[in-house]
Amino acid sequence: MRLLGFSAVLLLSFAVSPSLHAQVGGEMTPPLSLRNASYSIDVRLDPATRTITASEVITWRNITSRSVDDLRFHLYWNAWRDDRSSWQRERALVRTPPRDMQPGDRASLDISSLRVTGSGGPVDLTTRLRFIAPDDNNADDRTVLQAPLPQAAGPGTTLTIEVAWTAHVPRPVARTGAVGDFFFIAQWFPKLGVLEDGGWNCHQFHASTEFFSDYGVYDVRMTVPKGWPVGATGVARERRANTDGTETLRYYQEDVHDFAWTTSPDALERTARFEYPSLPSVELRLLLRPEHASQAERHFEGARTALRLYGEWFGAYPYGHLTIVDPAYQSGAGGMEYPTLITAGTRWLTPAGTADPEDVVIHETGHQFFYGIVGSNEFENAWMDEGINTFAEARVMDARQATYYSQRYFGGFIPFVFRDIRLDREHMWNRLAGYRRAATTDRQSTPSYRYYPATGGLITYNKTALWLNTMERWLGWPTVQRTLSTFFVRWQFKHPTPEDFFHIANDVAGRDLSWYFDQVYRGSSTFDYGIQELRSAADGGGRFRTEVVVRRYGDATFPIDVRTTFDDGEQVTEHWDGRERWQLYVYERTAKARTAEADPARVLLLDVNETNNSRTLRPQGEAAATKWSLKWMVWLQDCLLSWSVFV
Amino acid sequence: MTPVQAWRDGLRRVAAAPSIIVGVWVMTSLISLPLALSLRGDLARHLGSSLAADAAASGVNYEWMQEFTDQASGIGLTFRPTILGFGAVLDNLSAFVDNTARPVLIVGAAAAYMAFWLFAAGGIIDRYARDRVTGVHGFFSASGVFFFRFLRLAIVMFVVYGLLFGYVHPWLFDRLYPRLVRSVDVERVAFSIRAGLYLAFGLVLGGCNLIFDYAKVRAVVEDRRSALGALVSGVRFVRRNPGATITLYALDVALFAATLAAYAVAAPGAGGAGWSMWIGFGIAQLYILARLCVKLIFWASETALFQGRLAHAGYVAAPQLAWPDSPTAEALQR
């Protein structure tokens, strides 16, 4: 796509600014997306048998330039049908499957009929359906369903697809399922993949990637036991009592690409409103567990903070409403995003100063922007939503009140806050420690679903946050903010690729950053610069000869500053392009050198070893080691005393 | 003698023998020191002449801590923020009740520490039973005499505690607990169940501990040579005095809890590397001393109760121990 100049982008952003759109009851006027995949769904939940019976009518339009002779559907829940799915096989690489699985714990999704209506009359394709495994040819995987069309659907063709199915709600797995009376129903309906000019983009369900679908209108009628509060994507439009002790709630939302819902008789409902002068107001609805009743305001505060800062930095949240679900204990549904609905996640004991629930609410609210509004392909480029959002989340957390390191004890129930350790953005919120351990495990440009499952998240979340924050410290926040806001505005309600992002970054920065993206995105090399030598000795003439050797220990390169500080307070800063393996700087001064630092401003946050970045001729290493070994010794003494109970 | 009287008498007996408190503190420190010095060397090498040390010296350099732990092995893996202040106590207590594995070197140090207590137990209980100064000579004589008896008792203790932590605990917390909370969707309920299991396990553990304590007390006070006989008589004493022994044990446990509570308030934070480091270390050592005193009070108060209930008050059946002269001295005497 041809890049627009920045001023043109700004004009465009005003022209399509969501804040200028009217939204009432889930309707968005004028439309924000192409709405080429719309779903009208009727679903009935039987909590006793944990079964859902449903039917849907999909109105799909071919918006590509090619004809297509089949349809492809995601049937996510079949990933948990048995242990042979690709999802289960990948998950088994990371963790041992639960030993206590019972037959009713599994999920399943069985299509009972599928009819397609195109230019001719309806055609029943039920008997022609077959499962395919485009990613790994796993014949046992049943998460992608292929329906051959009776005749090819050319560009612009509209098809109406009627699907009926039954599904079994699993014991919680991957943010979906039921525990007790809490039901969280996500990834639950047969959903079309995305048809691109290159063909269907409809990946199997993998252990560490989740979404990609077209925008449309969702009109969903959910039948649940009477009196059970429901939270769902969109806005409730109708509530109808049935004669069988159930009631049907209709939720409606335009310009979204997914739909999730939840119900539980225990949920408490709280409401609040986000208002800010330059942003559209948002009605906040919180479905809260009774044991967390006192934490309602913490949830709202997180959502308000994210809506305000993301809104100011990137663009406004257009939908006017947001539902926050506080999931049940052991539901595994916490920390997840769906259009206009997020799940938070808190604990019964959550003292002030700990990160959650605010952090998780901020992160998931942030996904309304990067995932919900900018519809990148999470199967292939998970960093474009998770990574960018982690970067922004870290920035938001840094702007909030102090948060401290905490640890949970006694089976993970009892928290303790270490007030000496304030969590900072550069290391903690960007999750540097996790990245350090996984830095070379995968190139980020590898399709995300092919990442090694145990470390994929670290490449997706942590590395992106670090390289974006590095860009911020290198090019300045205005450049990164404009890059992200331009990306947000230009690609809202569309499907951007990584190249689209890089083009915008180059354009906004006014320079070619490809060498940087080649390393952080297309490569898996690590950055590690350090001071190898610092010598400063009298030369006999009343002056001191100082030698500083800075070395590139990692394979990746980045220009860095090298600062030498002398005893008289003088500082000399050199700029090194960082390409050679080492560089020598020699100074003749009247004062002796005190310190030498590579990258003293800590621009390169991807540097995996910060300790070697500096040297001083007045080292405190011994003193620090004494202090910390004494603290550790007390821990050990206490540890020994706990064992002495055996004697 | 009532449990409260025994408890107060135990406090008095421990206070009357400060050299024992100092001695066990020295041993606790001596066993910890080599590992602490080893870790200190690792930390100093990792910091080298980096400026990261300045931040680590003046406060907490959490980024450096993470860097260090990422490349560490052995005891270095235990160098985490949880060593700070009262977090260290919670870390150890939680690891104990949750049966968390520790690195081999830590287990080795703990084994050495238990061996020390096994050796010293005879001398300590003998001192408290006599309730008078026994001197270094008497202390080590008693320790030496009872060490091998306690070593035999330790085999039984090893089996019992091994069963408790090797089978009962995993069954309770890795099998039963997940089953009990399988469909629980309220965290408080899950915690209540876990707390109940902690209590159940704690009662069994405490019961065993109580019996083994009285076995040791009876072995020393009555000069029993048979470890099994001492164990049986320990059981018998507890069975015949359940209210008193359990109440006394509960008082001792309450003292332990009070000690932890006091340290929760007074525990030093990160501090700096100068005088504040030593003040912090001093406060922490006062806590360690208090913990040691609590352990000694368990034995002293149980000894007092036993002597008050069964044995003649202040009477110790064991004859005055006499360290044998050297072979040379004996030859000269002949």
Side-chain angles (χ1 to χ4, degrees), chain A residues 105 291 330 348 436 609-611 622 627-628 632 637-638, chain B residues 40 50 56 59 63 67 70 78 94 181-182 187 271 285 287:
Chain A
D105 295 345
E291 64 179 337
Q330 293 201 115
W348 164 45
R436 183 187 300 120
N609 188 344
E610 193 177 339
T611 306
E622 295 290 327
K627 170 183 146 180
W628 286 102
W632 184 83
Q637 288 174 309
D638 186 77
Chain B
R40 184 190 175 283
S50 171
E63 170 55 16
E67 268 189 35
D70 279 347
T78 62
S94 179
V181 301
R182 193 167 195 279
E187 188 181 1
Q285 290 312 300
Y287 158 72

PDB file of all heavy atoms in Angstrom, chain A residues 105 291 330 348 436 609-611 622 627-628 632 637-638, chain B residues 40 50 56 59 63 67 70 78 94 181-182 187 271 285 287:
ATOM      1  N   ASP A 105     -15.416 -33.500  31.090  1.00  0.00           N
ATOM      2  CA  ASP A 105     -14.544 -32.325  31.068  1.00  0.00           C
ATOM      3  C   ASP A 105     -14.192 -31.892  29.659  1.00  0.00           C
ATOM      4  O   ASP A 105     -13.742 -30.773  29.437  1.00  0.00           O
ATOM      5  CB  ASP A 105     -13.240 -32.617  31.812  1.00  0.00           C
ATOM      6  CG  ASP A 105     -13.467 -32.864  33.288  1.00  0.00           C
ATOM      7  OD1 ASP A 105     -14.566 -32.534  33.766  1.00  0.00           O
ATOM      8  OD2 ASP A 105     -12.560 -33.395  33.939  1.00  0.00           O
ATOM      9  N   GLU A 291     -17.197 -12.390  46.273  1.00  0.00           N
ATOM     10  CA  GLU A 291     -16.048 -12.278  47.184  1.00  0.00           C
ATOM     11  C   GLU A 291     -15.112 -11.135  46.802  1.00  0.00           C
ATOM     12  O   GLU A 291     -14.194 -10.812  47.539  1.00  0.00           O
ATOM     13  CB  GLU A 291     -15.276 -13.600  47.269  1.00  0.00           C
ATOM     14  CG  GLU A 291     -14.625 -14.041  45.983  1.00  0.00           C
ATOM     15  CD  GLU A 291     -13.854 -15.356  46.164  1.00  0.00           C
ATOM     16  OE1 GLU A 291     -13.465 -15.676  47.286  1.00  0.00           O
ATOM     17  OE2 GLU A 291     -13.652 -16.052  45.152  1.00  0.00           O
ATOM     18  N   GLN A 330     -10.817 -20.502  39.558  1.00  0.00           N
ATOM     19  CA  GLN A 330     -10.549 -21.731  38.803  1.00  0.00           C
ATOM     20  C   GLN A 330     -11.255 -21.784  37.448  1.00  0.00           C
ATOM     21  O   GLN A 330     -11.291 -22.842  36.825  1.00  0.00           O
ATOM     22  CB  GLN A 330     -10.940 -22.979  39.586  1.00  0.00           C
ATOM     23  CG  GLN A 330     -10.093 -23.226  40.814  1.00  0.00           C
ATOM     24  CD  GLN A 330     -10.155 -24.667  41.268  1.00  0.00           C
ATOM     25  OE1 GLN A 330      -9.164 -25.362  41.234  1.00  0.00           O
ATOM     26  NE2 GLN A 330     -11.309 -25.123  41.677  1.00  0.00           N
ATOM     27  N   TRP A 348      -9.020 -13.026  46.065  1.00  0.00           N
ATOM     28  CA  TRP A 348      -9.764 -12.668  47.264  1.00  0.00           C
ATOM     29  C   TRP A 348      -8.940 -11.683  48.115  1.00  0.00           C
ATOM     30  O   TRP A 348      -9.439 -10.644  48.541  1.00  0.00           O
ATOM     31  CB  TRP A 348     -10.082 -13.961  48.012  1.00  0.00           C
ATOM     32  CG  TRP A 348     -10.509 -13.812  49.417  1.00  0.00           C
ATOM     33  CD1 TRP A 348     -11.409 -12.903  49.897  1.00  0.00           C
ATOM     34  CD2 TRP A 348     -10.078 -14.595  50.531  1.00  0.00           C
ATOM     35  NE1 TRP A 348     -11.565 -13.091  51.250  1.00  0.00           N
ATOM     36  CE2 TRP A 348     -10.766 -14.116  51.663  1.00  0.00           C
ATOM     37  CE3 TRP A 348      -9.196 -15.657  50.673  1.00  0.00           C
ATOM     38  CZ2 TRP A 348     -10.580 -14.668  52.921  1.00  0.00           C
ATOM     39  CZ3 TRP A 348      -9.016 -16.210  51.930  1.00  0.00           C
ATOM     40  CH2 TRP A 348      -9.700 -15.719  53.032  1.00  0.00           C
ATOM     41  N   ARG A 436      14.890 -12.252  28.350  1.00  0.00           N
ATOM     42  CA  ARG A 436      16.306 -12.645  28.438  1.00  0.00           C
ATOM     43  C   ARG A 436      16.445 -14.165  28.346  1.00  0.00           C
ATOM     44  O   ARG A 436      17.349 -14.674  27.693  1.00  0.00           O
ATOM     45  CB  ARG A 436      16.889 -12.141  29.759  1.00  0.00           C
ATOM     46  CG  ARG A 436      18.378 -12.426  29.910  1.00  0.00           C
ATOM     47  CD  ARG A 436      18.878 -12.078  31.291  1.00  0.00           C
ATOM     48  NE  ARG A 436      18.688 -10.687  31.605  1.00  0.00           N
ATOM     49  CZ  ARG A 436      17.958 -10.229  32.611  1.00  0.00           C
ATOM     50  NH1 ARG A 436      17.334 -11.056  33.416  1.00  0.00           N
ATOM     51  NH2 ARG A 436      17.852  -8.940  32.828  1.00  0.00           N
ATOM     52  N   ASN A 609      22.114  -8.024  29.147  1.00  0.00           N
ATOM     53  CA  ASN A 609      22.993  -8.029  30.315  1.00  0.00           C
ATOM     54  C   ASN A 609      23.339  -6.592  30.676  1.00  0.00           C
ATOM     55  O   ASN A 609      24.224  -5.990  30.081  1.00  0.00           O
ATOM     56  CB  ASN A 609      24.265  -8.826  30.010  1.00  0.00           C
ATOM     57  CG  ASN A 609      25.122  -9.012  31.251  1.00  0.00           C
ATOM     58  OD1 ASN A 609      24.944  -8.319  32.251  1.00  0.00           O
ATOM     59  ND2 ASN A 609      26.053  -9.947  31.189  1.00  0.00           N
ATOM     60  N   GLU A 610      22.608  -6.091  31.645  1.00  0.00           N
ATOM     61  CA  GLU A 610      22.805  -4.691  32.021  1.00  0.00           C
ATOM     62  C   GLU A 610      23.980  -4.529  32.974  1.00  0.00           C
ATOM     63  O   GLU A 610      24.591  -3.478  33.037  1.00  0.00           O
ATOM     64  CB  GLU A 610      21.519  -4.171  32.686  1.00  0.00           C
ATOM     65  CG  GLU A 610      21.476  -2.668  32.835  1.00  0.00           C
ATOM     66  CD  GLU A 610      20.160  -2.189  33.429  1.00  0.00           C
ATOM     67  OE1 GLU A 610      19.169  -2.937  33.364  1.00  0.00           O
ATOM     68  OE2 GLU A 610      20.138  -1.068  33.949  1.00  0.00           O
ATOM     69  N   THR A 611      24.290  -5.597  33.683  1.00  0.00           N
ATOM     70  CA  THR A 611      25.351  -5.489  34.688  1.00  0.00           C
ATOM     71  C   THR A 611      26.697  -5.172  34.052  1.00  0.00           C
ATOM     72  O   THR A 611      27.506  -4.443  34.632  1.00  0.00           O
ATOM     73  CB  THR A 611      25.435  -6.800  35.500  1.00  0.00           C
ATOM     74  OG1 THR A 611      24.150  -7.091  36.034  1.00  0.00           O
ATOM     75  CG2 THR A 611      26.428  -6.691  36.634  1.00  0.00           C
ATOM     76  N   GLU A 622      31.864  -5.476  46.303  1.00  0.00           N
ATOM     77  CA  GLU A 622      32.103  -6.218  47.546  1.00  0.00           C
ATOM     78  C   GLU A 622      31.089  -5.814  48.613  1.00  0.00           C
ATOM     79  O   GLU A 622      30.541  -6.661  49.320  1.00  0.00           O
ATOM     80  CB  GLU A 622      33.531  -5.961  48.044  1.00  0.00           C
ATOM     81  CG  GLU A 622      34.622  -6.499  47.126  1.00  0.00           C
ATOM     82  CD  GLU A 622      34.683  -8.019  47.130  1.00  0.00           C
ATOM     83  OE1 GLU A 622      34.401  -8.621  48.178  1.00  0.00           O
ATOM     84  OE2 GLU A 622      35.000  -8.601  46.073  1.00  0.00           O
ATOM     85  N   LYS A 627      26.276  -7.109  51.734  1.00  0.00           N
ATOM     86  CA  LYS A 627      24.921  -6.769  52.195  1.00  0.00           C
ATOM     87  C   LYS A 627      23.925  -7.875  51.812  1.00  0.00           C
ATOM     88  O   LYS A 627      23.155  -8.345  52.648  1.00  0.00           O
ATOM     89  CB  LYS A 627      24.499  -5.440  51.572  1.00  0.00           C
ATOM     90  CG  LYS A 627      23.035  -5.104  51.768  1.00  0.00           C
ATOM     91  CD  LYS A 627      22.680  -3.818  51.059  1.00  0.00           C
ATOM     92  CE  LYS A 627      21.257  -3.894  50.525  1.00  0.00           C
ATOM     93  NZ  LYS A 627      20.877  -2.668  49.829  1.00  0.00           N
ATOM     94  N   TRP A 628      23.980  -8.266  50.551  1.00  0.00           N
ATOM     95  CA  TRP A 628      22.959  -9.219  50.095  1.00  0.00           C
ATOM     96  C   TRP A 628      23.221 -10.640  50.590  1.00  0.00           C
ATOM     97  O   TRP A 628      22.283 -11.411  50.797  1.00  0.00           O
ATOM     98  CB  TRP A 628      22.833  -9.172  48.571  1.00  0.00           C
ATOM     99  CG  TRP A 628      22.116  -7.923  48.167  1.00  0.00           C
ATOM    100  CD1 TRP A 628      22.643  -6.779  47.659  1.00  0.00           C
ATOM    101  CD2 TRP A 628      20.708  -7.668  48.328  1.00  0.00           C
ATOM    102  NE1 TRP A 628      21.678  -5.829  47.485  1.00  0.00           N
ATOM    103  CE2 TRP A 628      20.477  -6.355  47.874  1.00  0.00           C
ATOM    104  CE3 TRP A 628      19.646  -8.416  48.804  1.00  0.00           C
ATOM    105  CZ2 TRP A 628      19.208  -5.781  47.883  1.00  0.00           C
ATOM    106  CZ3 TRP A 628      18.371  -7.850  48.811  1.00  0.00           C
ATOM    107  CH2 TRP A 628      18.172  -6.545  48.354  1.00  0.00           C
ATOM    108  N   TRP A 632      20.693 -12.928  52.678  1.00  0.00           N
ATOM    109  CA  TRP A 632      20.440 -14.320  52.299  1.00  0.00           C
ATOM    110  C   TRP A 632      20.757 -15.257  53.453  1.00  0.00           C
ATOM    111  O   TRP A 632      20.062 -16.251  53.650  1.00  0.00           O
ATOM    112  CB  TRP A 632      21.296 -14.667  51.073  1.00  0.00           C
ATOM    113  CG  TRP A 632      21.028 -16.042  50.544  1.00  0.00           C
ATOM    114  CD1 TRP A 632      20.040 -16.426  49.705  1.00  0.00           C
ATOM    115  CD2 TRP A 632      21.774 -17.225  50.855  1.00  0.00           C
ATOM    116  NE1 TRP A 632      20.112 -17.782  49.462  1.00  0.00           N
ATOM    117  CE2 TRP A 632      21.171 -18.297  50.163  1.00  0.00           C
ATOM    118  CE3 TRP A 632      22.889 -17.492  51.654  1.00  0.00           C
ATOM    119  CZ2 TRP A 632      21.649 -19.608  50.220  1.00  0.00           C
ATOM    120  CZ3 TRP A 632      23.362 -18.799  51.726  1.00  0.00           C
ATOM    121  CH2 TRP A 632      22.738 -19.837  51.006  1.00  0.00           C
ATOM    122  N   GLN A 637      19.293 -19.071  57.684  1.00  0.00           N
ATOM    123  CA  GLN A 637      19.144 -19.417  59.106  1.00  0.00           C
ATOM    124  C   GLN A 637      17.686 -19.756  59.419  1.00  0.00           C
ATOM    125  O   GLN A 637      17.399 -20.734  60.115  1.00  0.00           O
ATOM    126  CB  GLN A 637      19.605 -18.243  59.985  1.00  0.00           C
ATOM    127  CG  GLN A 637      21.118 -18.039  60.003  1.00  0.00           C
ATOM    128  CD  GLN A 637      21.491 -16.781  60.761  1.00  0.00           C
ATOM    129  OE1 GLN A 637      20.963 -15.703  60.507  1.00  0.00           O
ATOM    130  NE2 GLN A 637      22.421 -16.912  61.701  1.00  0.00           N
ATOM    131  N   ASP A 638      16.812 -18.933  58.900  1.00  0.00           N
ATOM    132  CA  ASP A 638      15.390 -19.174  59.127  1.00  0.00           C
ATOM    133  C   ASP A 638      14.945 -20.480  58.472  1.00  0.00           C
ATOM    134  O   ASP A 638      14.149 -21.235  59.039  1.00  0.00           O
ATOM    135  CB  ASP A 638      14.580 -17.995  58.565  1.00  0.00           C
ATOM    136  CG  ASP A 638      13.116 -18.115  58.886  1.00  0.00           C
ATOM    137  OD1 ASP A 638      12.750 -17.838  60.040  1.00  0.00           O
ATOM    138  OD2 ASP A 638      12.343 -18.519  58.002  1.00  0.00           O
TER     139      ASP A 638
ATOM    140  N   ARG B  40      28.231 -14.985  48.618  1.00  0.00           N
ATOM    141  CA  ARG B  40      28.832 -13.650  48.561  1.00  0.00           C
ATOM    142  C   ARG B  40      29.869 -13.586  47.440  1.00  0.00           C
ATOM    143  O   ARG B  40      29.938 -12.614  46.690  1.00  0.00           O
ATOM    144  CB  ARG B  40      29.486 -13.306  49.899  1.00  0.00           C
ATOM    145  CG  ARG B  40      30.037 -11.903  49.945  1.00  0.00           C
ATOM    146  CD  ARG B  40      30.895 -11.644  51.167  1.00  0.00           C
ATOM    147  NE  ARG B  40      31.475 -10.317  51.092  1.00  0.00           N
ATOM    148  CZ  ARG B  40      32.514  -9.990  50.327  1.00  0.00           C
ATOM    149  NH1 ARG B  40      33.087 -10.907  49.576  1.00  0.00           N
ATOM    150  NH2 ARG B  40      32.973  -8.755  50.309  1.00  0.00           N
ATOM    151  N   SER B  50      30.963  -3.325  38.282  1.00  0.00           N
ATOM    152  CA  SER B  50      29.829  -2.682  37.621  1.00  0.00           C
ATOM    153  C   SER B  50      29.189  -1.633  38.519  1.00  0.00           C
ATOM    154  O   SER B  50      29.155  -1.771  39.747  1.00  0.00           O
ATOM    155  CB  SER B  50      28.781  -3.733  37.259  1.00  0.00           C
ATOM    156  OG  SER B  50      27.608  -3.113  36.814  1.00  0.00           O
ATOM    157  N   ALA B  56      22.659  -1.764  43.967  1.00  0.00           N
ATOM    158  CA  ALA B  56      22.430  -2.935  44.825  1.00  0.00           C
ATOM    159  C   ALA B  56      22.871  -2.650  46.252  1.00  0.00           C
ATOM    160  O   ALA B  56      22.276  -3.160  47.211  1.00  0.00           O
ATOM    161  CB  ALA B  56      23.179  -4.146  44.272  1.00  0.00           C
ATOM    162  N   GLY B  59      20.246   0.045  47.838  1.00  0.00           N
ATOM    163  CA  GLY B  59      18.841  -0.361  47.951  1.00  0.00           C
ATOM    164  C   GLY B  59      18.648  -1.709  47.295  1.00  0.00           C
ATOM    165  O   GLY B  59      19.419  -2.630  47.528  1.00  0.00           O
ATOM    166  N   GLU B  63      16.648  -5.586  38.848  1.00  0.00           N
ATOM    167  CA  GLU B  63      17.070  -6.039  37.525  1.00  0.00           C
ATOM    168  C   GLU B  63      18.354  -6.871  37.637  1.00  0.00           C
ATOM    169  O   GLU B  63      18.494  -7.927  37.034  1.00  0.00           O
ATOM    170  CB  GLU B  63      17.275  -4.842  36.597  1.00  0.00           C
ATOM    171  CG  GLU B  63      17.940  -5.144  35.268  1.00  0.00           C
ATOM    172  CD  GLU B  63      17.245  -6.231  34.470  1.00  0.00           C
ATOM    173  OE1 GLU B  63      16.090  -6.554  34.773  1.00  0.00           O
ATOM    174  OE2 GLU B  63      17.880  -6.778  33.548  1.00  0.00           O
ATOM    175  N   GLU B  67      19.080 -10.782  36.736  1.00  0.00           N
ATOM    176  CA  GLU B  67      20.199 -11.182  35.879  1.00  0.00           C
ATOM    177  C   GLU B  67      21.047 -12.241  36.571  1.00  0.00           C
ATOM    178  O   GLU B  67      21.462 -13.227  35.963  1.00  0.00           O
ATOM    179  CB  GLU B  67      21.081  -9.965  35.559  1.00  0.00           C
ATOM    180  CG  GLU B  67      20.697  -9.257  34.281  1.00  0.00           C
ATOM    181  CD  GLU B  67      21.734  -8.206  33.900  1.00  0.00           C
ATOM    182  OE1 GLU B  67      22.946  -8.420  34.130  1.00  0.00           O
ATOM    183  OE2 GLU B  67      21.323  -7.177  33.388  1.00  0.00           O
ATOM    184  N   ASP B  70      19.240 -15.589  36.780  1.00  0.00           N
ATOM    185  CA  ASP B  70      19.112 -16.236  35.468  1.00  0.00           C
ATOM    186  C   ASP B  70      20.350 -17.051  35.103  1.00  0.00           C
ATOM    187  O   ASP B  70      20.268 -18.024  34.366  1.00  0.00           O
ATOM    188  CB  ASP B  70      18.866 -15.185  34.380  1.00  0.00           C
ATOM    189  CG  ASP B  70      17.405 -14.763  34.345  1.00  0.00           C
ATOM    190  OD1 ASP B  70      16.583 -15.464  34.971  1.00  0.00           O
ATOM    191  OD2 ASP B  70      17.098 -13.744  33.718  1.00  0.00           O
ATOM    192  N   THR B  78      18.355 -19.583  44.853  1.00  0.00           N
ATOM    193  CA  THR B  78      17.495 -19.146  45.963  1.00  0.00           C
ATOM    194  C   THR B  78      17.655 -17.653  46.242  1.00  0.00           C
ATOM    195  O   THR B  78      16.994 -17.125  47.134  1.00  0.00           O
ATOM    196  CB  THR B  78      17.812 -19.920  47.260  1.00  0.00           C
ATOM    197  OG1 THR B  78      19.170 -19.630  47.629  1.00  0.00           O
ATOM    198  CG2 THR B  78      17.655 -21.415  47.054  1.00  0.00           C
ATOM    199  N   SER B  94       6.101 -21.142  54.218  1.00  0.00           N
ATOM    200  CA  SER B  94       5.247 -21.631  53.129  1.00  0.00           C
ATOM    201  C   SER B  94       5.878 -22.851  52.466  1.00  0.00           C
ATOM    202  O   SER B  94       5.189 -23.828  52.165  1.00  0.00           O
ATOM    203  CB  SER B  94       5.048 -20.506  52.103  1.00  0.00           C
ATOM    204  OG  SER B  94       4.253 -20.940  51.044  1.00  0.00           O
ATOM    205  N   VAL B 181     -11.353 -29.362  45.651  1.00  0.00           N
ATOM    206  CA  VAL B 181     -11.656 -28.022  45.119  1.00  0.00           C
ATOM    207  C   VAL B 181     -11.972 -28.050  43.623  1.00  0.00           C
ATOM    208  O   VAL B 181     -12.101 -27.010  42.995  1.00  0.00           O
ATOM    209  CB  VAL B 181     -10.479 -27.035  45.365  1.00  0.00           C
ATOM    210  CG1 VAL B 181     -10.190 -26.920  46.844  1.00  0.00           C
ATOM    211  CG2 VAL B 181      -9.228 -27.448  44.594  1.00  0.00           C
ATOM    212  N   ARG B 182     -12.112 -29.235  43.086  1.00  0.00           N
ATOM    213  CA  ARG B 182     -12.269 -29.374  41.639  1.00  0.00           C
ATOM    214  C   ARG B 182     -13.372 -28.477  41.076  1.00  0.00           C
ATOM    215  O   ARG B 182     -13.202 -27.833  40.048  1.00  0.00           O
ATOM    216  CB  ARG B 182     -12.565 -30.835  41.309  1.00  0.00           C
ATOM    217  CG  ARG B 182     -12.432 -31.157  39.847  1.00  0.00           C
ATOM    218  CD  ARG B 182     -12.414 -32.648  39.624  1.00  0.00           C
ATOM    219  NE  ARG B 182     -11.943 -32.939  38.294  1.00  0.00           N
ATOM    220  CZ  ARG B 182     -12.704 -32.873  37.213  1.00  0.00           C
ATOM    221  NH1 ARG B 182     -13.968 -32.541  37.322  1.00  0.00           N
ATOM    222  NH2 ARG B 182     -12.200 -33.123  36.023  1.00  0.00           N
ATOM    223  N   GLU B 187     -12.847 -18.548  45.759  1.00  0.00           N
ATOM    224  CA  GLU B 187     -11.490 -18.714  46.280  1.00  0.00           C
ATOM    225  C   GLU B 187     -11.466 -18.911  47.788  1.00  0.00           C
ATOM    226  O   GLU B 187     -10.683 -19.704  48.313  1.00  0.00           O
ATOM    227  CB  GLU B 187     -10.631 -17.508  45.897  1.00  0.00           C
ATOM    228  CG  GLU B 187      -9.168 -17.699  46.246  1.00  0.00           C
ATOM    229  CD  GLU B 187      -8.313 -16.496  45.904  1.00  0.00           C
ATOM    230  OE1 GLU B 187      -8.856 -15.498  45.410  1.00  0.00           O
ATOM    231  OE2 GLU B 187      -7.097 -16.570  46.141  1.00  0.00           O
ATOM    232  N   GLY B 271      17.523  -1.612  52.973  1.00  0.00           N
ATOM    233  CA  GLY B 271      18.548  -0.785  53.591  1.00  0.00           C
ATOM    234  C   GLY B 271      19.748  -0.548  52.696  1.00  0.00           C
ATOM    235  O   GLY B 271      19.754  -0.913  51.516  1.00  0.00           O
ATOM    236  N   GLN B 285      19.200 -10.993  63.498  1.00  0.00           N
ATOM    237  CA  GLN B 285      19.797 -11.988  64.391  1.00  0.00           C
ATOM    238  C   GLN B 285      19.048 -12.079  65.721  1.00  0.00           C
ATOM    239  O   GLN B 285      18.959 -13.155  66.325  1.00  0.00           O
ATOM    240  CB  GLN B 285      21.281 -11.678  64.635  1.00  0.00           C
ATOM    241  CG  GLN B 285      22.156 -11.910  63.413  1.00  0.00           C
ATOM    242  CD  GLN B 285      21.896 -13.265  62.752  1.00  0.00           C
ATOM    243  OE1 GLN B 285      22.050 -14.316  63.368  1.00  0.00           O
ATOM    244  NE2 GLN B 285      21.471 -13.242  61.489  1.00  0.00           N
ATOM    245  N   TYR B 287      15.924 -11.808  65.893  1.00  0.00           N
ATOM    246  CA  TYR B 287      14.790 -12.679  65.525  1.00  0.00           C
ATOM    247  C   TYR B 287      15.238 -14.142  65.524  1.00  0.00           C
ATOM    248  O   TYR B 287      14.542 -15.021  66.055  1.00  0.00           O
ATOM    249  CB  TYR B 287      14.243 -12.266  64.163  1.00  0.00           C
ATOM    250  CG  TYR B 287      13.462 -13.377  63.484  1.00  0.00           C
ATOM    251  CD1 TYR B 287      12.212 -13.759  63.951  1.00  0.00           C
ATOM    252  CD2 TYR B 287      14.010 -14.067  62.397  1.00  0.00           C
ATOM    253  CE1 TYR B 287      11.517 -14.795  63.350  1.00  0.00           C
ATOM    254  CE2 TYR B 287      13.326 -15.103  61.792  1.00  0.00           C
ATOM    255  CZ  TYR B 287      12.075 -15.471  62.278  1.00  0.00           C
ATOM    256  OH  TYR B 287      11.397 -16.497  61.690  1.00  0.00           O
TER     257      TYR B 287
END
